[in-house]
Amino acid sequence: MDTIEKTNTYVFNTYSRIPTVFVKGEGATLWDDQGKAYTDFLAGIAVVSLGHCHPQVTRAIADQAATLVHVSNIFYTEPQAELAHQLVEKSFADKVFFANSGAEANEAAIKLARRYFNEKGEPERFRIITMTQSFHGRTMATLSATGQDKIKQGFSPLVGGFVHCPFNDIGALDALVDNTVCAVMMECIQGEGGIIPADQDYIKAVRRLCNERGIFLIFDEVQTGMGRCGSLFAHELFGVTPDIMTLAKALGNGLPIGAMLACTEAAKGFTFGSHATTFGGTPLVTRAALEVLKIISDPDFLQQIRAKGAYLKQGLTALMARHKTIRAVRGEGLLVGMELDGNAGEIVVEAMKKGFILNAIQGKVIRFAPPLVITREEIDAVVKALDDLLE
């Protein structure tokens, strides 16, 4: 029984897997079990942002694995304390809660907002407004928060208390905020929704609305954070700060970690015993994340991301002049979407035959989320391959 047959036999069939077995990765390159090399423009869906097996992160993991891997969160560890310190120093936040994934970080943010108002004596203020086409995870609460019906099918009854609002529509949001709402939760750039950026004016208006109504603004930066969009956090591009923010994906460069960050006022919602995790923020993952944060937060590194992102968008935009099937190219930094008239999945399959790993979302959008260490030569190669495929 080979790897594919064994997986299909013994692992839950919840993924539409491509029949390729990867055995090795380095930088932006992956190798399959037949020795074929692929240039990775997906990075484990924006996870392996420093590339596969980044030597500095690998050394930190190996050193920490040989020192201390896990103790309960009823004790203290140096890597966790230092990562929290660094995240606070580099963000708007004052407190950090560590989890294992983006969904768990978002779950923590939802719980924090609700509990804050409950502790304040306003238990009726529990509803959270999220956006249509948003994606916040697949736990029961986070899929209930998600503004896409397709991922909710078959899971009723859903968790109550979520209201979905059209994205980029401040009038619709204003009409929904009443004295039962505790927070607005949104992505600055909708990733799974099709790489759809919020309008600058809209984000600023959302911030003002939350201030005026005395409710929290939660930014889900699970996919957009940690340099992906050319700034350490995507909301920096919009000139506003949230009250609560979630991170995951790139934070551990492949190791499972999520984080929920909050300002001092919002953080009052969690007190002793109100929330916990067994594996969140272990010494192993926080040590790895410290190395990731050190590299990604360097201003020169962030500038390189912006330059390479602009170069990728320029190359894809140039294709629009030759291929009428391309309807739009959008995104920030190295999170870019190319919307087609036709089936994006078919192009992704053909690109993989040529040695490029891409991803189709919403049926018609090709998502580019390569390792942030991708080179211009590798970008040139994928643009050329797409040019050939779209002929």
Side-chain angles (χ1 to χ4, degrees), residues 241-254:
T241 55
D243 303 295
I244 302 169
M245 176 176 72
T246 55
L247 300 171
K249 288 189 179 293
L251 185 55
N253 205 53

Side-chain angles (χ1 to χ4, degrees), residues 75-345:
F75 302 105
Y76 296 87
T77 67
E78 186 176 340
Q80 183 185 106
E82 185 55 25
L83 179 60
H85 176 217
Q86 291 300 320
L87 285 171
V88 166
E89 287 289 306
K90 298 178 189 305
S91 75
F92 69 95
D94 302 295
K95 293 281 187 184
V96 182
F97 179 88
F98 290 112
N100 302 293
S101 67
E104 287 180 68
N106 282 336
E107 189 95 11
I110 291 165
K111 290 179 69 176
L112 179 67
R114 288 185 172 181
R115 188 173 171 87
Y116 172 88
F117 284 99
N118 188 78
E119 293 294 290
K120 198 178 173 187
E122 300 178 60
E124 73 283 358
R125 197 178 273 278
F126 63 88
R127 293 200 306 162
I128 295 177
I129 299 175
T130 65
M131 305 301 155
T132 54
Q133 288 298 103
S134 63
F135 182 85
H136 298 296
R138 292 180 184 271
T139 64
M140 281 304 294
T142 56
L143 78 82
S144 301
T146 293
Q148 299 184 46
D149 290 338
K150 64 183 181 183
I151 76 160
K152 304 179 183 182
Q153 293 172 3
F155 295 111
S156 294
L158 301 175
V159 175
F162 294 100
V163 184
H164 305 303
C165 179
F167 193 47
N168 273 329
D169 187 340
I170 191 64
L173 181 62
D174 182 77
L176 285 172
V177 177
D178 59 20
N179 60 5
T180 68
V181 172
C182 66
V184 173
M185 183 175 186
M186 61 180 292
E187 303 151 282
C188 296
I189 300 171
Q190 292 188 332
E192 297 295 323
I195 318 297
I196 303 171
D199 295 336
Q200 287 273 347
D201 291 345
Y202 169 72
I203 289 266
K204 290 175 180 172
V206 173
R207 177 68 272 182
R208 283 196 300 273
L209 180 64
C210 289
N211 289 345
E212 291 166 4
R213 307 294 176 88
I215 60 177
F216 291 131
L217 176 57
I218 304 169
F219 281 158
D220 176 345
E221 294 240 24
V222 167
Q223 184 165 159
T224 58
M226 297 303 293
R228 171 57 57 189
C229 297
S231 55
L232 186 55
F233 309 116
H235 68 259
E236 295 170 353
L237 299 171
F238 296 84
V240 298
T241 55
D243 303 295
I244 302 169
M245 176 176 72
T246 55
L247 300 171
K249 288 189 179 293
L251 185 55
N253 205 53
L255 267 63
I257 180 172
M260 186 270 290
L261 288 68
C263 65
T264 297
E265 185 62 28
K268 292 177 181 174
F270 276 173
T271 53
F272 171 71
S274 55
H275 195 49
T277 172
T278 295
F279 292 104
T282 67
L284 185 67
V285 298
T286 49
R287 175 75 184 279
L290 269 170
E291 296 302 319
V292 173
L293 182 61
K294 189 184 304 177
I295 296 168
I296 290 181
S297 62
D298 182 284
D300 289 340
F301 190 78
L302 291 169
Q303 172 54 35
Q304 290 173 32
I305 296 168
R306 291 193 290 274
K308 287 187 282 193
Y311 189 70
L312 173 60
K313 282 179 72 175
Q314 181 185 346
L316 297 176
T317 302
L319 293 182
M320 289 180 71
R322 294 197 292 278
H323 305 286
K324 300 302 181 188
T325 189
I326 303 176
R327 299 181 63 180
V329 174
R330 55 182 178 249
E332 295 289 345
L334 284 167
L335 182 62
V336 177
M338 184 169 76
E339 183 174 336
L340 306 179
D341 249 339
N343 187 336

